[in-house]
Amino acid sequence: MLVYTLIRTLTQYFFVVLMAPLFAGIIANLKAKVESRKGPSIFQPYYDIFKYMKKQVLIPKGSGLIFKYAPFILFGIYSLIALIVPIVIPEPIFFTASADFLGGAILFSLAAFVKIAAAFDSRSNFTALGAVRALSFNFLSEATLITVFFAVSLITNTNNPYTTNSFLASHFIQNISLEHIFATIAFFMLFLYETGKIPLESSGLAELGMIDEGMSYEYSGKLLSLSKWSGYMKQYILGAIFLNVFFIPWGLQSSFPGFLLDIPVMFLKWLLLIAIVVIIETTLAKMRLFRIQDYLATSFTFSILFLIFSVVIA
Amino acid sequence: MSPIDYAVFLIAAFATISGFYIQGQEYISSMVKGQLVQSSIIALISFILAYYEHSIDLLILGILIAFLRGFLITYFLDKRVPGRMTYVYESNVNVASLLLIDLAFIVVGIFIIYSIVFTSADLVTKFGPSSILVFPLSLFFQGLFLIGSRRSTFSQIIGYIEEENSLVLFALFLVPVPIIIEASVFLDVLALVVISSILVIEKFRHYPMEELRG
C-alpha cells in the first residue's frame, strides 16, 4: 500500500513538474495557428528553460537575499501545492494532509507575496512598478480565491479537496447548484487573471500591461529559468483545480494500475481548457490596465454573492 | 429540490446578474439592453411557472411582461436616448467600487430583512420556504442603489424599472396572480410610460440643489 501511494505521489508530482511547460507551449502554438501564424513549437517552453539554465546569472547591484532565493522558494511552494490538491490522482497521496483547501489558497497567496517581495528586493524601479501594479489588483484576486474555496467547502461540507472532488463526481446535481456554477465562473475568471491571459494579459511584454513579466524582469540565467518553470506549474495547478474540482470532476481513476489512465484523461481535459482559453484569447480585446480591477471586482462579486445566497437558500 | 426548482433558481440568479450588469454600464443604451434582458428573464420565469402550475393567468402575465417591459418600454427608452455622444455616456462611473458597494448594500439589506422580518413572519412561497425571495430582494436593492448612485434621469428610470421588476418577481413567488397583473399593468402604464416620458424630456440630469442649502 505504501509503495502504491509512493508511486501515485511520484506520478502526480513529476507529471506536474514535467508536463506543465508543455501545456503552456500548446496554448502559444494553438493561439498562433488561429491567428494564421506558424507560431513557436509546443516544446518552446522546454527549450527556453534549458537555454536559461545554461546562461550566466546576473544579480543587480544592491539586491538582497529574498531576490536571490525567491525562485527556489516559489518552485518549492508550487511543488507542495502540486501534492495537496487532486490535480492528477483523485486519491490522497503523501503530503496531502499538509493543508486543506484554505491552506492551498494561503500557499498561493504566500507565493504571490514572495514574488512581490523579491521584486521589491531587486532594488530596481522597473520591477517595483510591476510589483505595485500586481498589489493593486491582488487584493481582489486573493479574496476571490478564498471565497471560491469557501463556496466549494459549503457545497460538500468539507475542506478536503479530494473529498470535494469525489463528492462532486458522484453527485451530479450538485454540479448544477447555484453556488457551484457561480464559483466555477468566478474561478475561471481568476484563472485567466492569474495566468495572464487576455482579456487581462498581465504576462505580455507590452509596457502598460506588464505586471508578471515586470516583476521577474531583473532575473537571468538559472533564476529566470526556475521563475518561468514555477509560472508554468502555477498555470497547470490552477487549470487542473478548475478542471477537477469545478468544471469536470469526472473521469479520474484511483485504482492501481488504473490511475495511470489519469494521465491521458488529464491531457484531454487540458486540451478542452486550452481550446476554451484560445477561443477567449483570440476573440476578446485586451482590457485597459485600470479596467482589471473592474474585472476582478466582478469575479469577487460572483464568488461572494452566491456564497451568501447559498447560505440563505440552505 | 426538483429539477424545475433548480432551473427557476438559476434563471432568477441571472436576473440578479443582469442587475449587476446594468450597474456596471456607462452607456445608457447598454443599460436599456440590460433592462430588456432582465425583463425577458422575469417573463421566462412567469412562463415556466405557468407551465408548472398549469395557470393561464401566469401565461398572460408573462406575455404582458414580455410585451410591456421587454418591447414597449425598451422601445420607448431607446427612442428617447439622444443621438449626441455627450448625452448617452455617463462619466465618472467607477465599476469596481460601484459593484463592491452595491454588493455590500445588498448583503446588508438582505441580512436585515431575513433576520428581522422573515424570522417573525413565516412566509411560504411557491418554492417552499422563503429562501427564493433572496433574488427579488437583491434586485430591489440593486434598483435602489442604481437610483442613488447615478445622476442621469435615464439611469434612475432604469433603476425604477429594476425595482418594479423585483416586485413582480417577488409577487410571482408569493402572491396570487390577478393582483400582480393589475398592479403590473397599472405601474407600467402610469409610471413608466407617462411619468418617465415627461421626466426624461424635462430634466435630463439631477444634481444636488444649491438653493436648498441653509
Side-chain angles (χ1 to χ4, degrees):
Chain A
M1 194 65 194
L2 202 67
V3 178
Y4 293 161
T5 313
L6 183 67
I7 293 169
R8 283 196 192 110
T9 308
L10 293 175
T11 308
Q12 173 152 324
Y13 181 70
F14 284 109
F15 183 78
V16 175
V17 173
L18 299 177
M19 298 296 275
L22 180 68
F23 294 114
I26 294 174
I27 291 177
N29 183 272
L30 208 59
K31 194 180 160 191
K33 291 274 188 298
V34 173
E35 290 170 348
S36 304
R37 293 186 282 121
K38 192 183 171 195
S41 156
I42 57 169
F43 302 109
Q44 190 61 42
Y46 293 105
Y47 302 150
D48 287 345
I49 286 170
F50 288 120
K51 182 178 77 184
Y52 294 136
M53 283 282 185
K54 288 183 213 156
K55 298 259 180 189
Q56 189 185 3
V57 178
L58 292 173
I59 305 286
K61 194 176 177 183
S63 60
L65 282 177
I66 301 176
F67 176 80
K68 284 175 202 157
Y69 293 112
F72 299 99
I73 299 170
L74 283 176
F75 197 86
I77 291 171
Y78 290 125
S79 296
L80 181 59
I81 301 173
L83 295 169
I84 60 176
V85 279
I87 46 180
V88 182
I89 316 275
E91 280 269 305
I93 48 175
F94 287 129
F95 300 105
T96 295
S98 327
D100 54 10
F101 253 140
L102 204 58
I106 289 167
L107 281 172
F108 274 114
S109 301
L110 177 68
F113 169 76
V114 170
K115 201 170 179 185
I116 288 166
F120 279 120
D121 202 37
S122 70
R123 301 288 195 273
S124 157
N125 288 339
F126 198 75
T127 50
L129 191 70
V132 169
R133 279 175 183 170
L135 277 174
S136 62
F137 304 129
N138 274 11
F139 78 100
L140 277 169
S141 69
E142 299 300 334
T144 310
L145 188 68
I146 288 175
T147 40
V148 158
F149 285 155
F150 276 149
V152 276
S153 300
L154 269 176
I155 301 164
T156 56
N157 290 322
T158 172
N159 54 0
N160 185 327
Y162 287 87
T163 316
T164 304
N165 173 262
S166 145
F167 181 86
L168 290 172
S170 55
H171 295 75
F172 174 76
I173 200 80
Q174 289 298 332
N175 289 283
I176 54 165
S177 68
L178 201 60
E179 60 270 39
H180 189 263
I181 287 176
F182 288 100
T184 305
I185 295 170
F187 193 84
F188 184 65
M189 289 174 82
L190 190 72
F191 169 74
L192 292 181
Y193 167 72
E194 291 282 354
T195 53
K197 301 279 182 286
I198 283 177
L200 291 318
E201 205 183 26
S202 60
S203 60
L205 282 169
E207 189 192 348
L208 274 174
M210 202 158 158
I211 302 169
D212 276 350
E213 296 286 335
M215 283 197 288
S216 57
Y217 205 68
E218 291 294 340
Y219 281 116
S220 56
K222 285 188 187 62
L223 297 182
L224 179 61
S225 168
L226 269 180
S227 181
K228 284 214 173 278
W229 204 342
S230 307
Y232 299 137
M233 281 169 71
K234 178 187 175 186
Q235 174 173 282
Y236 178 82
I237 293 167
L238 282 170
I241 292 174
F242 172 72
L243 289 167
N244 287 349
V245 178
F246 292 94
F247 192 42
I248 321 167
W250 308 280
L252 296 179
Q253 307 285 323
S254 55
S255 61
F256 190 88
F259 76 92
L260 288 170
L261 279 174
D262 292 342
I263 292 170
V265 167
M266 275 314 293
F267 202 83
L268 289 174
K269 281 186 181 184
W270 254 96
L271 286 183
L272 176 67
L273 180 62
I274 287 169
I276 295 169
V277 167
V278 167
I279 289 168
I280 289 171
E281 284 222 300
T282 49
T283 46
L284 293 185
K286 186 178 179 302
M287 288 175 119
R288 282 180 289 151
L289 187 70
F290 291 102
R291 285 282 179 192
I292 295 177
Q293 274 191 343
D294 301 347
Y295 174 91
L296 289 172
T298 310
S299 76
F300 180 65
T301 305
F302 273 143
S303 64
I304 198 138
L305 184 74
F306 289 96
L307 180 69
I308 292 159
F309 278 5
S310 69
V311 173
V312 171
I313 289 164
Chain B
M1 285 200 292
S2 67
I4 200 135
D5 291 356
Y6 266 115
V8 172
F9 265 68
L10 265 177
I11 296 166
F14 278 107
T16 307
I17 289 170
S18 66
F20 277 108
Y21 173 79
I22 293 170
Q23 183 68 61
Q25 294 309 305
E26 293 169 15
Y27 288 92
I28 305 291
S29 58
S30 305
M31 294 172 84
V32 173
K33 287 186 187 99
Q35 183 277 131
L36 165 67
V37 171
Q38 193 176 75
S39 303
S40 309
I41 287 168
I42 291 164
L44 181 65
I45 292 173
S46 187
F47 289 137
I48 292 172
L49 287 177
Y51 174 77
Y52 186 56
E53 296 184 359
H54 306 290
S55 163
I56 290 288
D57 294 340
L58 282 170
L59 186 68
I60 294 168
L61 180 65
I63 293 167
L64 275 174
I65 294 170
F67 176 69
L68 286 172
R69 281 151 209 246
F71 171 70
L72 203 64
I73 292 170
T74 310
Y75 176 75
F76 153 75
L77 285 173
D78 217 29
K79 288 291 263 185
R80 286 280 182 268
V81 175
R84 281 184 290 166
M85 287 300 286
T86 46
Y87 285 111
V88 291
Y89 182 84
E90 191 163 6
S91 56
N92 299 327
V93 177
N94 187 343
V95 181
S97 56
L98 276 180
L99 284 182
L100 294 181
I101 298 168
D102 192 14
L103 181 66
F105 187 61
I106 291 170
V107 170
V108 171
I110 290 174
F111 175 75
I112 290 170
I113 287 182
Y114 266 86
S115 59
I116 296 172
V117 182
F118 284 5
T119 46
S120 53
D122 192 18
L123 293 174
V124 178
T125 67
K126 290 167 186 168
F127 287 90
S130 55
S131 57
I132 194 145
L133 296 178
V134 72
F135 300 111
L137 281 175
S138 69
L139 209 56
F140 181 79
F141 286 112
Q142 277 176 327
L144 271 182
F145 186 71
L146 189 66
I147 294 171
S149 63
R150 300 298 181 94
R151 284 182 175 167
S152 117
T153 309
F154 268 104
S155 311
Q156 291 174 347
I157 287 172
I158 290 167
Y160 176 76
I161 298 171
E162 252 190 83
E163 278 187 13
E164 216 199 312
N165 275 344
S166 77
L167 292 180
V168 172
L169 193 61
F170 195 88
L172 268 175
F173 294 140
L174 204 65
V175 182
V177 177
I179 301 167
I180 321 171
I181 298 180
E182 286 164 20
S184 167
V185 171
F186 173 74
L187 282 169
D188 279 342
V189 174
L190 180 78
L192 295 173
V193 177
V194 180
I195 297 175
S196 60
S197 64
I198 297 166
L199 267 177
V200 168
I201 294 164
E202 290 296 317
K203 198 168 173 62
F204 193 79
R205 274 168 204 272
H206 289 83
Y207 294 102
M209 292 177 74
E210 296 288 333
E211 293 86 352
L212 295 179
R213 281 190 185 162

